Amino acid sequence: MKKKLLSILMVMMMAATLLSGCGKPGSTKNDSKPADSKGESSTTEGAADAGGAKKFDDVKLKMLICWNGGFKTASDQYNNEVAKKIREKTGVTVEFEGIMMSETEKLNLMFASGDMPDIINAPYWGGSAGETAVIKKAATEGRLLPIEDYLPNYPNLANSYDVGIVSQSYLENDLNFKGFDGHKYILPQETPGDTADVTNWAYGVFVRGDVPKALGIDPTTIKTSDDLYNFMVKAKEHGFKDVNGNDTIVATTYHNGWDSSGYSINLSDKKFSNYIKQADGTYNYVPLTEDWTKRQLFIWKLVNQGLLDVECFKQSDAQADEKVGNGTALFASAQYSSVINSTKLTGLYSAHPEMKYVPVGPMTYKDGQPLVQLEQNGRAGSPAIIFPSTCSNIEAALTYLDYINSEEGARLCQYGVEGDTYTLNDAGQPRLNSDLLARKAKGDSSVDDELREKGIGYILGRTLQADKRFTWWGEIGAGDADAAPQEMVEYKKARPVERADGYPLEGLVVNYKDYDKVKKFAFEGTTMDDYEQRAYFAKTEAEARSILEDYQKYLLTQDNGIFKDYLKYVTESANSRDDILD
């Protein structure tokens, strides 16, 4: 009888335990969590500063960094100093892996196969961007976990949705996409915590430092496309050699032609959108205009005359690093940090200071206004973190991210352990040790390798949500305040960030009744890129123009000419409110 009663009591206890695990997401009950790989309960009490008021029991998670080009990590992602410290606080370790393929293709393959990691970091530019469409589709099909009920437990993540950190249009159209039915699936990333935290990406065209000196040209006087073209022609005719004594190429880009548009930017208008108001008050799509055609024909001229690297539209960043790092390319268009990093990788930055790449211009817009980095108040598209339905422990993942996005956690990830790699200055701000700063200032790239082995840099680079680094520490990158290349500092002043209030036109046009039809042929995929590159490699200007005009005809004739009706809606949208950014 006692045995029977004991059995009944045990069954009742088991039932009660099972019921207690059925709470809604965000429940604070320890036994409501998924089991870890050992099949054991994955949390313990304590660690109130680790986000969800709890610490986990050595949970290991996998995170995919879905950006073409790979992702450098410490050789030991579990035992490095930073990972250990994070584990002491949270009980969680995240191991990262990168990709060497198209981001959209990788996302499609992953969601189709169901072979997904615990966490994914990927582009989520909003609107009709290819990666955005794939992620939205995955969410609506149940392949992502909703996180809205968890967020109140993670204060360092919850403010990622505040307007000003993200824009109103991004929030309405993409983060709170109507197809999500009120759920939140996307953690927007790398958004400015305050105005001072807006990253100046320092886009532009850069030239090997000895080139303008040899030609007697002041590169800061180059303002127009004609100026740039003439500069490139003289550089080609001079017969420069690279550091190894080999022939040079005139100009290149980084992966897949990024950013060839920098060479033709003087032919563009200063604007936020891809739509332009015409003389009659109606709006047109920029690729349907003569100005767009002229801009593409300028790139055709550079390719046709052997000034722009024919390989650049298909090359990888590694190939670009070699061309720029050896001084083989006399000009490069991208972010200045990419160019400087390429020269650090090869030692060109320190061994041949005369070859350091310097800014061209900056050039101007078509109307002569100086170039700026246009930004909305609040980011209008961003990298993002998402959680596949296969995530083995969503609360452990959020706890990890919440700690890293605290001031303490972010400082650990960016600077390492106090006394080892950094000290606090008189203002209480972390600064790398003087020996590390001195090596950085000399362009010694091995410093970054050493810090990465300690876990410094790579973790924060793909887990930062609302960026408050400048507000917290007076510098965005470790060493910026003391060891940033002076040429970078000066260039950012010459091409500053300019923010504006308002609602972007792109945020309204998505409400067109047949927008899904339009975006399929006009905005998604690589159709425009394919036409442009065919034009760049045409034998004659007339042939190139014909290819570009064929693309314009393609836009206007698809789906019974629906694009013309769409443009009427664009005009109506632009006139519907007085705060439009176009």
Side-chain angles (χ1 to χ4, degrees):
M1 183 65 183
K2 289 182 179 179
K3 289 183 178 180
K4 183 175 181 180
L5 180 60
L6 182 60
S7 297
I8 292 171
L9 287 172
M10 289 179 67
V11 169
M12 291 174 66
M13 290 173 64
M14 290 175 65
T17 300
L18 289 171
L19 287 171
S20 71
C22 296
K24 69 175 183 178
S27 166
T28 59
K29 294 181 180 295
N30 289 343
D31 43 16
S32 68
K33 308 299 168 284
D36 64 14
S37 59
K38 301 173 185 176
E40 300 169 350
S41 174
S42 58
T43 63
T44 59
E45 294 293 343
D49 57 351
K54 62 193 67 172
K55 180 179 176 182
F56 291 78
D57 183 17
D58 197 16
V59 172
K60 303 179 186 68
L61 302 174
K62 295 290 185 182
M63 183 169 180
L64 179 73
I65 307 302
C66 191
W67 297 85
N68 190 2
F71 185 68
K72 291 182 178 180
T73 68
S75 55
D76 187 338
Q77 295 195 56
Y78 186 81
N79 291 306
N80 66 67
E81 287 94 324
V82 172
K84 286 179 179 178
K85 289 290 185 180
I86 295 173
R87 194 160 54 250
E88 287 176 11
K89 285 286 184 178
T90 67
V92 183
T93 306
V94 174
E95 294 187 345
F96 304 80
E97 64 173 317
I99 65 169
M100 295 293 287
M101 62 188 301
S102 156
E103 295 91 350
T104 301
E105 183 180 352
K106 177 62 178 180
L107 289 168
N108 273 321
L109 287 172
M110 185 174 54
F111 290 130
S113 68
D115 183 13
M116 301 179 288
D118 299 291
I119 314 169
I120 300 170
N121 166 253
Y124 192 73
W125 303 128
S128 58
E131 303 91 349
T132 301
V134 176
I135 291 171
K136 285 180 176 177
K137 183 172 183 288
T140 58
E141 291 179 347
R143 299 184 186 278
L144 300 181
L145 294 177
I147 57 174
E148 68 277 0
D149 288 337
Y150 295 102
L151 288 175
N153 293 330
Y154 304 98
N156 298 313
L157 305 181
N159 71 337
S160 298
Y161 299 89
D162 291 349
V163 173
I165 289 177
V166 295
S167 68
Q168 185 69 40
S169 60
Y170 187 37
L171 181 67
E172 291 178 10
N173 298 311
D174 299 298
L175 300 176
N176 292 340
F177 174 57
K178 61 184 178 180
F180 292 166
D181 294 329
H183 293 299
K184 281 183 166 59
Y185 295 96
I186 316 297
L187 265 180
Q189 210 189 355
E190 296 179 28
T191 53
D194 204 342
T195 301
D197 300 296
V198 177
T199 300
N200 185 327
W201 298 110
Y203 273 95
V205 175
F206 307 95
V207 62
R208 213 177 75 182
D210 59 326
V211 172
K213 289 182 179 179
L215 299 177
I217 295 174
D218 179 355
T220 66
T221 65
I222 306 300
K223 300 297 183 183
T224 70
S225 297
D226 287 340
D227 293 340
L228 180 63
Y229 170 76
N230 292 332
F231 190 8
M232 287 181 165
V233 169
K234 290 179 181 178
K236 181 183 180 183
E237 292 172 347
H238 189 274
F240 289 99
K241 300 294 183 180
D242 69 12
V243 292
N244 300 312
N246 298 320
D247 291 339
T248 57
I249 57 177
V250 180
T252 194
T253 67
Y254 282 72
H255 67 275
N256 299 331
W258 175 75
D259 175 39
S260 61
S261 66
Y263 293 116
S264 63
I265 198 166
N266 169 248
L267 301 173
S268 69
D269 294 291
K270 182 181 180 181
K271 58 196 295 66
F272 279 91
S273 79
N274 278 317
Y275 303 93
I276 189 163
K277 191 174 185 178
Q278 302 178 118
D280 63 0
T282 62
Y283 278 75
N284 200 4
Y285 182 46
V286 169
L288 289 174
T289 66
E290 176 63 16
D291 283 346
W292 174 82
T293 302
K294 288 180 179 178
R295 193 169 178 183
Q296 308 316 311
L297 288 176
F298 181 76
I299 300 297
W300 167 82
K301 182 167 72 169
L302 298 184
V303 173
N304 183 261
Q305 296 188 19
L307 299 175
L308 182 56
D309 179 15
V310 295
E311 296 177 348
C312 73
F313 299 102
K314 300 297 181 185
Q315 73 185 5
S316 66
D317 278 338
Q319 290 171 300
D321 281 334
E322 185 175 350
K323 291 174 181 177
V324 176
N326 288 321
T328 306
L330 303 180
F331 295 80
S333 178
Q335 294 172 359
Y336 204 1
S337 58
S338 296
V339 175
I340 291 174
N341 185 61
S342 295
T343 63
K344 286 183 177 181
L345 290 173
T346 60
L348 179 73
Y349 191 85
S350 54
H352 295 275
E354 76 282 1
M355 289 187 176
K356 284 183 181 180
Y357 287 78
V358 297
V360 172
M363 290 185 283
T364 66
Y365 293 106
K366 185 174 62 177
D367 63 1
Q369 291 186 72
L371 290 176
V372 296
Q373 179 179 308
L374 280 175
E375 297 281 354
Q376 282 182 255
N377 277 327
R379 198 160 178 183
S382 70
I385 289 177
I386 53 178
F387 305 91
S389 55
T390 54
C391 179
S392 60
N393 197 319
I394 181 66
E395 293 200 66
L398 291 168
T399 297
Y400 180 92
L401 292 171
D402 191 73
Y403 175 67
I404 285 174
N405 282 277
S406 68
E407 195 278 336
E408 176 188 302
R411 177 161 28 102
L412 170 67
C413 291
Q414 174 142 309
Y415 296 95
V417 178
E418 185 178 358
D420 177 27
T421 49
Y422 81 93
T423 56
L424 297 178
N425 64 13
D426 293 341
Q429 299 167 323
R431 291 293 181 264
L432 290 177
N433 292 345
S434 58
D435 60 322
L436 297 174
L437 288 172
R439 290 169 60 193
K440 268 183 166 288
K442 292 179 180 178
D444 184 351
S445 63
S446 66
V447 175
D448 295 328
D449 296 333
E450 291 173 17
L451 294 176
R452 186 169 57 249
E453 284 301 302
K454 292 176 175 287
I456 298 170
Y458 74 90
I459 296 174
L460 190 64
R462 284 305 175 199
T463 54
L464 189 65
Q465 302 302 128
D467 188 353
K468 307 178 189 71
R469 288 175 295 173
F470 192 88
T471 299
W472 282 335
W473 310 320
E475 61 179 8
I476 290 178
D480 283 357
D482 302 290
Q486 189 59 33
E487 60 268 34
M488 172 77 87
V489 174
E490 294 303 318
Y491 182 67
K492 287 183 177 181
K493 294 177 183 177
R495 190 171 178 179
V497 172
E498 183 177 302
R499 300 183 90 190
D501 290 316
Y503 200 97
L505 186 52
E506 263 87 352
L508 292 177
V509 298
V510 295
N511 297 315
Y512 177 62
K513 59 183 174 63
D514 289 317
Y515 185 76
D516 285 345
K517 292 181 180 179
V518 171
K519 75 175 183 178
K520 188 171 183 179
F521 68 79
F523 309 134
E524 293 182 349
T526 62
T527 303
M528 184 167 74
D529 290 342
D530 294 342
Y531 272 97
E532 287 177 346
Q533 290 184 30
R534 281 176 53 208
Y536 299 159
F537 289 94
K539 293 182 179 179
T540 66
E541 182 176 348
E543 182 185 350
R545 175 177 283 275
S546 177
I547 292 170
L548 296 170
E549 290 174 348
D550 282 346
Y551 175 65
Q552 294 171 330
K553 292 174 185 175
Y554 162 84
L555 286 176
L556 293 172
T557 56
Q558 293 302 297
D559 212 332
N560 298 315
I562 194 175
F563 204 80
K564 296 175 183 177
D565 186 62
Y566 168 70
L567 288 175
K568 292 180 182 178
Y569 184 82
V570 172
T571 299
E572 293 172 6
S573 298
N575 293 325
S576 67
R577 49 195 296 171
D578 58 9
D579 63 344
I580 288 295
L581 293 171
D582 60 13

